[in-house]
Amino acid sequence: MRLFEAIVEANHRALSGDKTAGLRPDEFTDALPVVALTCIDPRLNPLIPEVLGVREEHFIWLRNAGNIIFDSMSSMMRTLALACAVKGGKEIAIVGHTDCLVCKTTILQLTERFRQLGVERARLPENLVEFFGLSASERQNVLKSADIVRHSPLIGPKIPVHGLLLDITNGKLEWLVNGYQTLDTFRTATSATAERSSPASTPLAELPSLAVGEMKFPEFKIGDAHVVTQTQTTPVPTETAEATSEPAAGPAAKLVEKTKSAAGAVQKVLRLEAAQKYRIVASDRKIYGPVTGGKIMEWIADGRIDWQTLAKPEGGSEWKPLSAWAASAAKDALSQLLPPKIQSFFRSKH
Ligand SMILES: [Zn+2]
């Protein structure tokens, strides 16, 4: 039995009244210390150590509001990485909890609370959902965070990344992501990818398809800036509705598309051929263009449209999301990490 198998088993046995249930950390020294990311909720202060059952010296406890991982290179991600690299963390657990106020607070309530604290709405970023990483579902949030950590380039293939949900009313742990299983899948996928890719440039045709339908989309209560599911099923308007001006500013674009392929998640930086012309369907359902790939990339950078926007190359007849027309530079992804998204939120304020 491995560490988290023992933790979850002891937890469930204890809750069913087994007085002998417990963890013997000494049997799991290879898996310790454990690194846990939890919410800031003070109700967790006494609960988490008790639920995990590992000794203080074996427990690296990271916290932020809502146990959120923003992206694979975020500051929390760097702390997780150093918790493993410097402090010897052997396994990572993202532990969400029920009744999380970060998930339950609506945007209206949040802006009102900020207002009471003397922070006017106009001073806050436009998209509060994205800015604070708010999620309507504690469960989805854990799944998403565990997935980002698992595929972060900062976390090596030896570290299991678990996702758990803690019932704050009774201390019951639900194991949402079994890090041992995803680790095996991840290792297989990583080695398969390594075998396939040549050191020189990879021909475009060999790149894995985007497989938009297989992507996991988090649930969000408000706002659509995270990942809007405008897949091929979006009805395509007729060309009689063509508009010529530029589309209005919309949600900030996701320049780095996180996509799932058969070989596992790959971070891709997408690019359009600058001279190729496209027509696009903006969020107002009007068709714009033809415009060049270069112009479209500008619009994406400005947050007017995103990579899910339907587009058709000039002379073509098929509508697909822009991401499907784009070439990706997966191998350059690390060197091309983009400026912090916060810039586009504040641009309109200045
Ligand atoms: Zn919380």
Side-chain angles (χ1 to χ4, degrees):
M1 196 180 286
R2 289 170 287 191
L3 175 64
F4 271 84
E5 290 162 349
I7 288 174
V8 173
E9 197 209 35
N11 176 262
H12 290 182
R13 278 172 53 192
L15 281 165
S16 65
D18 182 348
K19 296 219 167 19
T20 66
L23 189 74
R24 288 181 187 79
D26 295 345
E27 295 171 11
F28 303 98
T29 47
D30 288 353
L32 296 168
V34 61
V35 186
L37 170 65
T38 78
C39 185
I40 53 172
D41 194 316
R43 290 175 292 176
L44 298 175
N45 297 4
L47 206 49
I48 289 282
E50 195 170 313
V51 161
L52 293 183
V54 295
R55 283 200 254 280
E56 265 178 40
E57 66 267 30
H58 290 148
F59 181 39
I60 301 169
W61 196 350
L62 311 180
R63 304 178 78 158
N64 70 13
N67 44 271
I68 291 160
I69 299 284
F70 282 90
D71 65 64
S72 59
M73 303 294 268
S74 68
S75 76
M76 184 53 83
M77 204 50 249
R78 296 172 205 193
T79 300
L80 278 173
L82 290 186
C84 298
V86 176
K87 298 304 293 178
K90 303 288 196 310
E91 302 200 6
I92 293 173
I94 311 296
V95 188
H97 69 98
T98 59
D99 193 40
C100 182
L101 291 183
V102 175
C103 292
K104 285 170 79 177
T105 306
T106 66
I107 291 299
L108 267 180
Q109 291 168 330
L110 190 62
T111 47
E112 177 55 20
R113 302 253 170 84
F114 271 118
R115 199 189 60 73
Q116 289 166 5
L117 294 168
V119 182
E120 293 303 325
R121 179 66 185 90
R123 299 188 57 175
L124 291 167
E126 213 165 281
N127 190 329
L128 294 178
V129 173
E130 177 151 347
F131 183 74
F132 289 114
L134 306 181
S135 165
S137 156
E138 294 102 353
R139 185 176 299 266
Q140 287 293 329
N141 182 39
V142 168
L143 293 174
K144 184 176 165 224
S145 294
D147 190 56
I148 295 173
V149 176
R150 170 70 287 153
H151 297 105
S152 168
L154 303 178
I155 300 299
K158 292 180 179 166
I159 307 277
V161 181
H162 308 284
L164 300 110
L165 190 65
L166 175 66
D167 186 332
I168 206 150
T169 61
N170 60 10
K172 185 171 186 180
L173 277 178
E174 189 183 347
W175 203 357
L176 302 181
V177 180
N178 182 326
Y180 306 120
Q181 285 170 5
T182 52
L183 184 63
D184 291 341
T185 318
F186 179 66
R187 275 184 182 142
T188 314
T190 313
S191 60
T193 309
E195 278 162 28
R196 263 206 309 280
S197 53
S198 68
S201 64
T202 311
L204 202 58
E206 287 182 15
L207 286 167
S209 70
L210 284 173
V212 172
E214 292 170 19
M215 288 170 71
K216 280 191 293 186
F217 294 106
E219 301 165 2
F220 292 103
K221 75 190 146 199
I222 309 174
D224 51 3
H226 271 263
V227 186
V228 182
T229 53
Q230 287 205 352
T231 60
Q232 288 87 338
T233 55
T234 308
V236 176
T238 60
E239 302 210 10
T240 51
E242 274 189 40
T244 49
S245 57
E246 295 188 358
K254 276 270 192 218
L255 286 188
V256 180
E257 291 262 302
K258 198 145 179 297
T259 63
K260 278 252 176 205
S261 67
V266 183
Q267 281 247 320
K268 295 180 179 185
V269 176
L270 299 177
R271 289 197 207 117
L272 288 171
E273 201 181 312
Q276 170 69 49
K277 287 185 177 169
Y278 300 86
R279 284 163 200 269
I280 63 156
V281 184
S283 56
D284 57 7
R285 295 293 168 90
K286 288 182 185 160
I287 295 177
Y288 293 84
V291 285
T292 62
K295 191 72 189 168
I296 288 174
M297 303 247 304
E298 278 176 33
W299 286 351
I300 290 174
D302 286 344
R304 292 170 187 274
I305 57 174
D306 63 25
W307 286 105
Q308 299 303 320
T309 302
L310 282 178
K312 185 174 76 168
E314 194 165 49
S317 58
E318 203 178 351
W319 290 93
K320 286 184 184 177
L322 278 168
S323 55
W325 300 118
S328 81
K331 67 190 168 63
D332 297 335
L334 269 183
S335 60
Q336 290 188 9
L337 276 176
L338 296 147
K341 288 181 217 154
I342 194 168
Q343 288 181 0
S344 61
F345 297 136
F346 284 113
R347 191 173 293 143
S348 57
K349 308 285 174 217
H350 294 295

